[in-house]
mmCIF file with all atom_site columns, all heavy atoms in Angstrom:
data_model
loop_
_atom_site.group_PDB
_atom_site.id
_atom_site.type_symbol
_atom_site.label_atom_id
_atom_site.label_alt_id
_atom_site.label_comp_id
_atom_site.label_asym_id
_atom_site.label_entity_id
_atom_site.label_seq_id
_atom_site.pdbx_PDB_ins_code
_atom_site.Cartn_x
_atom_site.Cartn_y
_atom_site.Cartn_z
_atom_site.occupancy
_atom_site.B_iso_or_equiv
_atom_site.pdbx_formal_charge
_atom_site.auth_seq_id
_atom_site.auth_comp_id
_atom_site.auth_asym_id
_atom_site.auth_atom_id
_atom_site.pdbx_PDB_model_num
ATOM 1  N N   . ALA A 1 277 ? 151.222 40.774 133.290 1.00 98.00 ? 277 ALA A N   1
ATOM 2  C CA  . ALA A 1 277 ? 150.510 40.443 134.579 1.00 98.00 ? 277 ALA A CA  1
ATOM 3  C C   . ALA A 1 277 ? 151.281 39.368 135.351 1.00 98.00 ? 277 ALA A C   1
ATOM 4  O O   . ALA A 1 277 ? 151.527 39.527 136.535 1.00 98.00 ? 277 ALA A O   1
ATOM 5  C CB  . ALA A 1 277 ? 149.129 40.100 134.346 1.00 98.00 ? 277 ALA A CB  1
ATOM 6  N N   . ASP A 1 278 ? 151.724 38.312 134.627 1.00 98.00 ? 278 ASP A N   1
ATOM 7  C CA  . ASP A 1 278 ? 152.409 37.266 135.280 1.00 98.00 ? 278 ASP A CA  1
ATOM 8  C C   . ASP A 1 278 ? 153.722 37.717 135.958 1.00 98.00 ? 278 ASP A C   1
ATOM 9  O O   . ASP A 1 278 ? 153.990 37.380 137.042 1.00 98.00 ? 278 ASP A O   1
ATOM 10 C CB  . ASP A 1 278 ? 152.854 36.119 134.294 1.00 98.00 ? 278 ASP A CB  1
ATOM 11 C CG  . ASP A 1 278 ? 151.661 35.395 133.812 1.00 98.00 ? 278 ASP A CG  1
ATOM 12 O OD1 . ASP A 1 278 ? 150.536 35.496 134.444 1.00 98.00 ? 278 ASP A OD1 1
ATOM 13 O OD2 . ASP A 1 278 ? 151.696 34.580 132.808 1.00 98.00 ? 278 ASP A OD2 1
ATOM 14 N N   . LEU A 1 279 ? 154.473 38.586 135.101 1.00 98.00 ? 279 LEU A N   1
ATOM 15 C CA  . LEU A 1 279 ? 155.708 39.134 135.710 1.00 98.00 ? 279 LEU A CA  1
ATOM 16 C C   . LEU A 1 279 ? 155.532 39.946 136.855 1.00 98.00 ? 279 LEU A C   1
ATOM 17 O O   . LEU A 1 279 ? 156.175 39.886 137.914 1.00 98.00 ? 279 LEU A O   1
ATOM 18 C CB  . LEU A 1 279 ? 156.370 39.933 134.510 1.00 98.00 ? 279 LEU A CB  1
ATOM 19 C CG  . LEU A 1 279 ? 157.695 40.550 134.861 1.00 98.00 ? 279 LEU A CG  1
ATOM 20 C CD1 . LEU A 1 279 ? 158.805 39.649 135.239 1.00 98.00 ? 279 LEU A CD1 1
ATOM 21 C CD2 . LEU A 1 279 ? 158.230 41.453 133.720 1.00 98.00 ? 279 LEU A CD2 1
ATOM 22 N N   . THR A 1 280 ? 154.454 40.765 136.825 1.00 98.00 ? 280 THR A N   1
ATOM 23 C CA  . THR A 1 280 ? 154.136 41.714 137.956 1.00 98.00 ? 280 THR A CA  1
ATOM 24 C C   . THR A 1 280 ? 153.841 41.016 139.193 1.00 98.00 ? 280 THR A C   1
ATOM 25 O O   . THR A 1 280 ? 154.296 41.212 140.296 1.00 98.00 ? 280 THR A O   1
ATOM 26 C CB  . THR A 1 280 ? 153.055 42.685 137.616 1.00 98.00 ? 280 THR A CB  1
ATOM 27 O OG1 . THR A 1 280 ? 153.320 43.262 136.299 1.00 98.00 ? 280 THR A OG1 1
ATOM 28 C CG2 . THR A 1 280 ? 152.901 43.813 138.589 1.00 98.00 ? 280 THR A CG2 1
ATOM 29 N N   . VAL A 1 281 ? 152.903 39.994 139.004 1.00 98.00 ? 281 VAL A N   1
ATOM 30 C CA  . VAL A 1 281 ? 152.603 39.089 140.144 1.00 98.00 ? 281 VAL A CA  1
ATOM 31 C C   . VAL A 1 281 ? 153.778 38.443 140.739 1.00 98.00 ? 281 VAL A C   1
ATOM 32 O O   . VAL A 1 281 ? 154.012 38.403 141.950 1.00 98.00 ? 281 VAL A O   1
ATOM 33 C CB  . VAL A 1 281 ? 151.396 38.091 139.752 1.00 98.00 ? 281 VAL A CB  1
ATOM 34 C CG1 . VAL A 1 281 ? 151.166 37.076 140.829 1.00 98.00 ? 281 VAL A CG1 1
ATOM 35 C CG2 . VAL A 1 281 ? 150.084 38.835 139.388 1.00 98.00 ? 281 VAL A CG2 1
ATOM 36 N N   . ALA A 1 282 ? 154.554 37.844 139.819 1.00 98.00 ? 282 ALA A N   1
ATOM 37 C CA  . ALA A 1 282 ? 155.805 37.115 140.291 1.00 98.00 ? 282 ALA A CA  1
ATOM 38 C C   . ALA A 1 282 ? 156.712 38.073 141.198 1.00 98.00 ? 282 ALA A C   1
ATOM 39 O O   . ALA A 1 282 ? 157.259 37.595 142.096 1.00 98.00 ? 282 ALA A O   1
ATOM 40 C CB  . ALA A 1 282 ? 156.582 36.523 139.129 1.00 98.00 ? 282 ALA A CB  1
ATOM 41 N N   . LYS A 1 283 ? 156.844 39.322 140.789 1.00 98.00 ? 283 LYS A N   1
ATOM 42 C CA  . LYS A 1 283 ? 157.677 40.138 141.484 1.00 98.00 ? 283 LYS A CA  1
ATOM 43 C C   . LYS A 1 283 ? 157.057 40.829 142.797 1.00 98.00 ? 283 LYS A C   1
ATOM 44 O O   . LYS A 1 283 ? 157.707 41.015 143.762 1.00 98.00 ? 283 LYS A O   1
ATOM 45 C CB  . LYS A 1 283 ? 158.175 41.416 140.644 1.00 98.00 ? 283 LYS A CB  1
ATOM 46 C CG  . LYS A 1 283 ? 158.903 40.969 139.420 1.00 98.00 ? 283 LYS A CG  1
ATOM 47 C CD  . LYS A 1 283 ? 160.294 40.542 139.786 1.00 98.00 ? 283 LYS A CD  1
ATOM 48 C CE  . LYS A 1 283 ? 161.144 40.093 138.500 1.00 98.00 ? 283 LYS A CE  1
ATOM 49 N NZ  . LYS A 1 283 ? 162.392 39.598 138.787 1.00 98.00 ? 283 LYS A NZ  1
ATOM 50 N N   . LEU A 1 284 ? 155.692 41.067 142.701 1.00 98.00 ? 284 LEU A N   1
ATOM 51 C CA  . LEU A 1 284 ? 155.027 41.770 143.807 1.00 98.00 ? 284 LEU A CA  1
ATOM 52 C C   . LEU A 1 284 ? 154.491 40.827 144.875 1.00 98.00 ? 284 LEU A C   1
ATOM 53 O O   . LEU A 1 284 ? 154.427 41.224 146.081 1.00 98.00 ? 284 LEU A O   1
ATOM 54 C CB  . LEU A 1 284 ? 153.977 42.669 143.354 1.00 98.00 ? 284 LEU A CB  1
ATOM 55 C CG  . LEU A 1 284 ? 154.376 43.902 142.446 1.00 98.00 ? 284 LEU A CG  1
ATOM 56 C CD1 . LEU A 1 284 ? 153.217 44.889 142.276 1.00 98.00 ? 284 LEU A CD1 1
ATOM 57 C CD2 . LEU A 1 284 ? 155.658 44.564 142.979 1.00 98.00 ? 284 LEU A CD2 1
ATOM 58 N N   . ALA A 1 285 ? 154.044 39.644 144.545 1.00 96.00 ? 285 ALA A N   1
ATOM 59 C CA  . ALA A 1 285 ? 153.501 38.780 145.510 1.00 96.00 ? 285 ALA A CA  1
ATOM 60 C C   . ALA A 1 285 ? 154.379 38.431 146.744 1.00 96.00 ? 285 ALA A C   1
ATOM 61 O O   . ALA A 1 285 ? 153.922 38.530 147.894 1.00 96.00 ? 285 ALA A O   1
ATOM 62 C CB  . ALA A 1 285 ? 152.966 37.498 144.950 1.00 96.00 ? 285 ALA A CB  1
ATOM 63 N N   . PRO A 1 286 ? 155.633 38.193 146.491 1.00 97.00 ? 286 PRO A N   1
ATOM 64 C CA  . PRO A 1 286 ? 156.512 37.940 147.647 1.00 97.00 ? 286 PRO A CA  1
ATOM 65 C C   . PRO A 1 286 ? 156.648 39.158 148.574 1.00 97.00 ? 286 PRO A C   1
ATOM 66 O O   . PRO A 1 286 ? 156.783 39.059 149.798 1.00 97.00 ? 286 PRO A O   1
ATOM 67 C CB  . PRO A 1 286 ? 157.854 37.507 147.053 1.00 97.00 ? 286 PRO A CB  1
ATOM 68 C CG  . PRO A 1 286 ? 157.653 37.259 145.641 1.00 97.00 ? 286 PRO A CG  1
ATOM 69 C CD  . PRO A 1 286 ? 156.366 37.934 145.274 1.00 97.00 ? 286 PRO A CD  1
ATOM 70 N N   . ILE A 1 287 ? 156.552 40.408 147.951 1.00 97.00 ? 287 ILE A N   1
ATOM 71 C CA  . ILE A 1 287 ? 156.706 41.639 148.768 1.00 97.00 ? 287 ILE A CA  1
ATOM 72 C C   . ILE A 1 287 ? 155.540 41.774 149.611 1.00 97.00 ? 287 ILE A C   1
ATOM 73 O O   . ILE A 1 287 ? 155.679 42.056 150.839 1.00 97.00 ? 287 ILE A O   1
ATOM 74 C CB  . ILE A 1 287 ? 156.891 42.819 147.820 1.00 97.00 ? 287 ILE A CB  1
ATOM 75 C CG1 . ILE A 1 287 ? 158.193 42.738 147.085 1.00 97.00 ? 287 ILE A CG1 1
ATOM 76 C CG2 . ILE A 1 287 ? 156.775 44.135 148.533 1.00 97.00 ? 287 ILE A CG2 1
ATOM 77 C CD1 . ILE A 1 287 ? 158.453 43.796 146.063 1.00 97.00 ? 287 ILE A CD1 1
ATOM 78 N N   . ALA A 1 288 ? 154.300 41.460 149.039 1.00 97.00 ? 288 ALA A N   1
ATOM 79 C CA  . ALA A 1 288 ? 153.127 41.606 149.904 1.00 97.00 ? 288 ALA A CA  1
ATOM 80 C C   . ALA A 1 288 ? 153.066 40.649 150.933 1.00 97.00 ? 288 ALA A C   1
ATOM 81 O O   . ALA A 1 288 ? 152.699 40.945 152.101 1.00 97.00 ? 288 ALA A O   1
ATOM 82 C CB  . ALA A 1 288 ? 151.873 41.466 148.948 1.00 97.00 ? 288 ALA A CB  1
#
Side-chain angles (χ1 to χ4, degrees):
D278 290 348
L279 178 63
T280 310
V281 169
K283 299 287 179 180
L284 297 192
I287 295 175

